[in-house]
Amino acid sequence: MNLREQIEQLFAKTEFDAGDREVYEEFKSALRTGAVRSAEKDTDGNWRANAWVKQGILLGFRMGKMVEMSMPTETFRFFDKDTFPLRPMTLDDGVRIVMGGSTIRDGSYVAKNVVLVPPCYVNVGSYVDEGTMVDSHALVGSCAQIGKRVHLSAAAQIGGVLEPVGALPVIIEDDVLVGGNTGVYEGTVVRERAVLASGVILTRSTPLFDLVYGTTIKSADGGPLEVPAGAVVVQGSRAISSGYGKENGLSIYCPIIVKYRDDKTDTSTKLEDYLR
């Protein structure tokens, strides 16, 4: 019986023994090393959630018992399930964790050359690939998938999801820049090389207005909102066209694609012009 079959079998149980805990620890180790992950891209470039992996994570909450996780010398006290301690780390992992209070929860994958700037948090089931920087006060939510050379700027929030088990987590593909105070939630997929300017908020129900092509991008048939590859997204507003909102000149927030990245453009510099 392979690991997936064992997890699916355990998920149906209500009581657990020592052998069950061994299977769970094997599963958590596979998450930690990146051997399994909560979502993967198929050959067509579409992302799919691995429901059994989420079942395994949820199994840990059901199987675990509350324990004190703080040290006797600490003034801050911590209490959590014994199945979810901090991720064991050594210098050989090649992850730079700057002093100051950052946390990686066990059951998450963090690749070599990742930099964590305090204080930040990487939650269970997440996957953070090589060369990514997680800046101060940034959150990588449960099961979020972060690609290579991504920059999560200060206070960026990448939402998490555990239930329902078939729901797609937030996906941030390679070489994406996520600006400060930006929030990406509800399984949104941000394709490679996109730029999200400071303050942009994206959810499944958020329409994304593309000024370049004159289109509106929306999630369809229960799928995620997808930000196109190379899109430069800034926060904007649109006028309310009827009723009380129109009478009072009100408008509501909307994200706008103002351009697409190209090799001739230093997008990080040009962003300042778009935001003035």
Side-chain angles (χ1 to χ4, degrees):
M1 187 181 298
N2 61 33
L3 183 59
R4 174 175 180 169
E5 292 169 337
Q6 292 180 83
I7 290 295
E8 290 174 337
Q9 188 177 82
L10 285 180
F11 194 69
K13 296 181 66 173
T14 56
E15 297 183 0
F16 307 101
D17 56 30
D20 298 334
R21 181 63 179 257
E22 289 180 4
V23 172
Y24 169 74
E25 291 297 333
E26 179 185 355
F27 163 76
K28 192 167 60 174
S29 177
L31 275 176
R32 189 188 311 139
T33 61
V36 301
R37 54 195 295 185
S38 57
E40 294 177 288
K41 186 191 287 189
D42 63 24
T43 55
D44 295 323
N46 298 313
W47 286 88
R48 308 290 183 192
N50 288 327
W52 74 273
V53 175
K54 288 189 182 181
Q55 287 179 330
I57 295 170
L58 291 169
L59 185 65
F61 286 102
R62 289 165 46 198
M63 187 180 291
K65 61 180 181 180
M66 290 289 290
V67 296
E68 180 168 356
M69 291 189 170
S70 43
M71 300 296 290
T73 56
E74 292 178 340
T75 53
F76 285 122
R77 316 305 292 180
F78 303 98
F79 311 93
D80 201 358
K81 295 293 184 77
D82 66 338
T83 43
F84 292 110
L86 298 183
R87 184 187 190 277
M89 301 288 295
T90 70
L91 186 61
D92 291 337
D93 288 316
V95 177
R96 185 154 68 92
I97 305 175
V98 182
M99 290 184 294
S102 298
T103 299
I104 307 174
R105 204 174 191 185
D106 202 7
S108 57
Y109 173 76
V110 181
K112 287 182 179 298
N113 300 316
V114 167
V115 178
L116 304 181
V117 181
C120 65
Y121 190 79
V122 179
N123 209 345
V124 62
S126 56
Y127 187 103
V128 183
D129 216 335
E130 293 182 13
T132 284
M133 173 177 280
V134 183
D135 212 335
S136 57
H137 297 282
L139 166 69
V140 180
S142 55
C143 296
Q145 306 291 295
I146 311 297
K148 293 179 173 65
R149 300 173 300 277
V150 171
H151 189 126
L152 300 181
S153 301
Q157 302 287 294
I158 308 301
V161 62
L162 283 174
E163 294 185 287
V165 293
L168 189 70
V170 173
I171 308 293
I172 309 292
E173 292 191 341
D174 297 348
D175 299 300
V176 168
L177 170 62
V178 180
N181 289 299
T182 292
V184 187
Y185 308 105
E186 297 178 359
T188 296
V189 176
V190 182
R191 294 293 186 177
E192 61 185 25
R193 300 183 70 249
V195 176
L196 307 182
S198 179
V200 167
I201 304 295
L202 298 170
T203 70
R204 186 191 307 274
S205 58
T206 307
L208 175 59
F209 295 87
D210 189 334
L211 298 185
V212 179
Y213 295 107
T215 59
T216 303
I217 301 169
K218 299 180 179 180
S219 60
D221 301 323
L225 176 72
E226 290 202 17
V227 178
V232 178
V233 184
V234 304
Q235 56 176 319
S237 62
R238 52 176 174 153
I240 298 175
S241 59
S242 62
Y244 181 85
K246 181 179 181 179
E247 293 171 4
N248 288 274
L250 303 180
S251 60
I252 58 176
Y253 162 82
C254 70
I256 301 171
I257 297 174
V258 292
K259 68 164 290 174
Y260 284 80
R261 289 177 70 168
D262 56 55
D263 295 336
K264 299 178 181 179
T265 303
D266 183 346
T267 306
S268 61
T269 301
K270 287 294 184 182
L271 267 177
E272 297 298 325
D273 296 334
Y274 292 123
L275 297 174
R276 289 185 191 279

